[in-house]
Amino acid sequence: MDLKKHLRFFGVRVVSKSFFLIAMVLVIRTLLLPESWGGFGGEQSPRPRVRYLEVPQIVWGLNNQKIAFARACLTARLLNRTLLMPSFSATLFYKEIHQLQPISFDKVFHFDKFNSLCKGFVQLARYSDLHNRSDTLVVQKGSGRKWTVERDLDQLKELNRRNYETIRVVGKNPFLWHDHFPVKDYAKVFECLVLVDEISKEADKVVAKIKELGSESKMMMMNGYVAVHMRIEKDWMIHCKKREQRSNMSEICSSKDEIMSRVANIPGLKLPTVVYLAVADALVEDGSILNGWREGLVAVEKKKLGVLEIYKKHPYLIQAAIDYEVCSRADVFVGNSYSTFSSLLVLERSAKMARMGVVTACGIGMDVRWPSSYAYNLKAMGESGPRPWMTNLTDSSLQAISYGSNNISC
């Protein structure tokens, strides 16, 4: 009798200990083993919570690439997905795609700062974050006249119901995708783009040279400097002349003399001041771009500043990024409203003004706390200066910025 009692008691203890050990194993497995571990019997792991969007390599000019990147981010947001960090193109080829030199996003912009600044809006991921690379749906992006905005949106709605870990979109560059997003959403993405230190420091050197020149000349550096995106390069003039003919317009191209005259008549501009000319020097046929400026406007370009070597050691994309940063820091920026470079820069400056509470810069001129922007290809109403320029942040799409416009809000 006593032996049976001991056996029953021992059996209960053995069973209790067994249950305890099994429970501990399950807890440890849950805490320590990755989600992708298949478990016993080859059972399928649960689908990861984070889903991704992959897009083709981004190509063309710096600001075309920034727009394409932002559109890819906003498409990922629409699909409730995280964008896999895309490749940009360091070189500039429009037709010879095989000659494009890819460059990773994080070689140009801060990866972690982007995710920090855009947290809760859009996010980037690395390919190493993928759990199952085979769990991918490949989608051909539609093209041609029959591929309307409505059809494109229907495709996105259908994709939003797909539960693959990754949707890989193949085909045309995101810059050419249909645009479904308001300007303010693009502005938010651009706000999160911060140049990596290596590029930002190169821009620091150029700006320091500009300010040093102003200081040596005893100029009123309280005004900072003026930056002019001077589009008079041979390839640009061919492009804009053709566009003027197609659209039956005459306010797209501007000669060197027209640009100098408009800049000289900016209202409220205090002289003397330095005028930095952002221009593709190698493509300029007129070697006299520094001559003929109004007294008090000291025009400089890369060679005169002694910074040409800073640019030469970098590929096209980085050179453009340095110039863009130099222009963005100017107190006054003057550009062409049909240039993507100029248009995107004014968008970012306008967004900064909006965050400061400035609703419009039209007619305020140099009294605005944040730097002013102008379009030299458009004449100010009733005046000889350039037209004040501020992006309409309430636009429903980026059409005017992507392709240019003479409707510049002011």
Side-chain angles (χ1 to χ4, degrees):
M1 187 71 176
D2 292 337
L3 179 59
K4 289 181 179 179
K5 286 182 179 180
H6 284 301
L7 287 174
R8 282 197 300 269
F9 177 73
F10 184 72
V12 170
R13 293 189 63 184
V14 168
V15 171
S16 299
K17 286 185 176 181
S18 297
F19 278 121
F20 175 78
L21 290 172
I22 292 171
M24 287 301 296
V25 168
L26 291 173
V27 170
I28 292 171
R29 173 186 166 184
T30 302
L31 292 175
L32 300 182
L33 292 181
E35 284 185 12
S36 59
W37 187 67
F40 298 108
E43 66 183 81
Q44 295 297 312
S45 62
R47 200 174 295 276
R49 292 181 181 178
V50 181
R51 299 180 304 163
Y52 305 96
L53 177 69
E54 181 181 357
V55 300
Q57 180 180 345
I58 293 174
V59 298
W60 299 347
L62 167 68
N63 294 287
N64 296 102
Q65 294 189 51
K66 288 169 67 175
I67 290 172
F69 170 77
R71 189 160 295 154
C73 284
L74 295 174
T75 300
R77 183 172 187 263
L78 186 65
L79 298 174
N80 294 311
R81 290 177 175 270
T82 296
L83 181 66
L84 286 169
M85 185 173 65
S87 288
F88 279 48
S89 300
T91 49
L92 183 60
F93 289 95
Y94 287 92
K95 294 181 179 179
E96 300 86 353
I97 302 297
H98 63 282
Q99 295 188 44
L100 289 172
Q101 179 188 338
I103 182 171
S104 178
F105 169 90
D106 59 1
K107 297 297 182 184
V108 185
F109 301 104
H110 274 287
F111 178 89
D112 291 330
K113 284 185 180 179
F114 179 88
N115 278 345
S116 176
L117 292 169
C118 265
K119 187 176 181 180
F121 189 67
V122 295
Q123 290 287 276
L124 284 178
R126 300 182 186 276
Y127 279 83
S128 57
D129 295 327
L130 291 173
H131 290 74
N132 183 0
R133 290 175 182 259
S134 64
D135 188 16
T136 299
L137 174 66
V138 179
V139 177
Q140 176 72 44
K141 197 67 174 174
S143 60
R145 292 183 179 180
K146 292 184 178 180
W147 190 258
T148 61
V149 174
E150 293 74 21
R151 288 188 65 184
D152 191 73
L153 193 58
D154 286 341
Q155 182 190 52
L156 293 175
K157 289 177 180 178
E158 172 60 28
L159 292 177
N160 197 33
R161 292 191 283 267
R162 300 299 187 96
N163 204 30
Y164 288 88
E165 181 179 355
T166 304
I167 291 178
R168 179 186 302 141
V169 178
V170 298
K172 58 187 179 183
N173 172 22
F175 182 86
L176 297 174
W177 292 1
H178 282 299
D179 189 1
H180 305 290
F181 313 104
V183 168
K184 63 181 181 63
D185 285 357
Y186 283 99
K188 174 62 179 175
V189 176
F190 296 139
E191 182 186 342
C192 302
L193 291 173
V194 179
L195 289 174
V196 295
D197 295 345
E198 292 81 358
I199 301 175
S200 183
K201 288 177 181 177
E202 298 286 56
D204 291 342
K205 296 174 187 175
V206 179
V207 172
K209 284 285 187 179
I210 295 172
K211 292 187 175 182
E212 182 182 324
L213 177 63
S215 179
E216 290 174 354
S217 304
K218 296 182 180 180
M219 296 181 190
M220 298 175 65
M221 290 313 296
M222 61 184 291
N223 291 326
Y225 60 95
V226 177
V228 179
H229 184 219
M230 202 167 185
R231 296 310 313 263
I232 58 171
E233 304 93 339
K234 182 179 179 180
D235 65 331
W236 167 260
M237 296 306 288
I238 293 172
H239 164 75
C240 72
K241 288 293 184 185
K242 288 182 178 178
R243 184 160 184 182
E244 283 187 339
Q245 292 172 359
R246 289 197 307 267
S247 58
N248 196 27
M249 294 177 61
S250 59
E251 292 185 313
I252 299 178
C253 304
S254 295
S255 68
K256 183 194 78 170
D257 291 340
E258 287 173 330
I259 295 172
M260 289 193 301
S261 175
R262 297 272 168 87
V263 173
N265 286 285
I266 293 175
L269 184 62
K270 296 178 182 179
L271 304 179
T273 191
V274 177
V275 179
Y276 174 71
L277 306 179
V279 60
D281 308 73
L283 298 175
V284 176
E285 292 188 316
D286 186 349
S288 62
I289 61 171
L290 299 181
N291 302 330
W293 290 85
R294 172 185 173 182
E295 185 178 354
L297 294 178
V298 181
V300 296
E301 33 74 86
K302 300 175 185 66
K303 187 175 181 180
K304 184 172 181 178
L305 276 178
V307 297
L308 199 55
E309 293 305 313
I310 292 177
Y311 286 84
K312 280 185 174 180
K313 66 183 180 181
H314 296 292
Y316 154 77
L317 187 74
I318 307 304
Q319 292 181 27
I322 296 171
D323 244 10
Y324 189 93
E325 183 68 13
V326 173
C327 289
S328 72
R329 298 184 193 179
D331 284 65
V332 178
F333 173 73
V334 193
N336 187 299
S337 68
Y338 283 86
S339 161
T340 309
F341 182 106
S342 296
S343 297
L344 204 58
L345 204 149
V346 173
L347 165 60
E348 295 189 36
R349 291 164 71 92
S350 299
K352 288 178 182 178
M353 290 179 68
R355 290 196 294 274
M356 293 173 63
V358 179
V359 178
T360 176
C362 303
I364 299 179
M366 296 299 294
D367 294 329
V368 177
R369 280 174 170 261
W370 186 257
S372 302
S373 302
Y374 298 88
Y376 58 66
N377 60 304
L378 300 172
K379 189 177 178 180
M381 301 298 181
E383 300 178 21
S384 55
R387 190 175 302 176
W389 187 1
M390 188 173 182
T391 303
N392 182 0
L393 298 173
T394 64
D395 270 355
S396 60
S397 78
L398 211 65
Q399 175 74 19
I401 293 167
S402 299
Y403 298 100
S405 172
N406 59 5
N407 181 13
I408 59 172
S409 184
C410 293

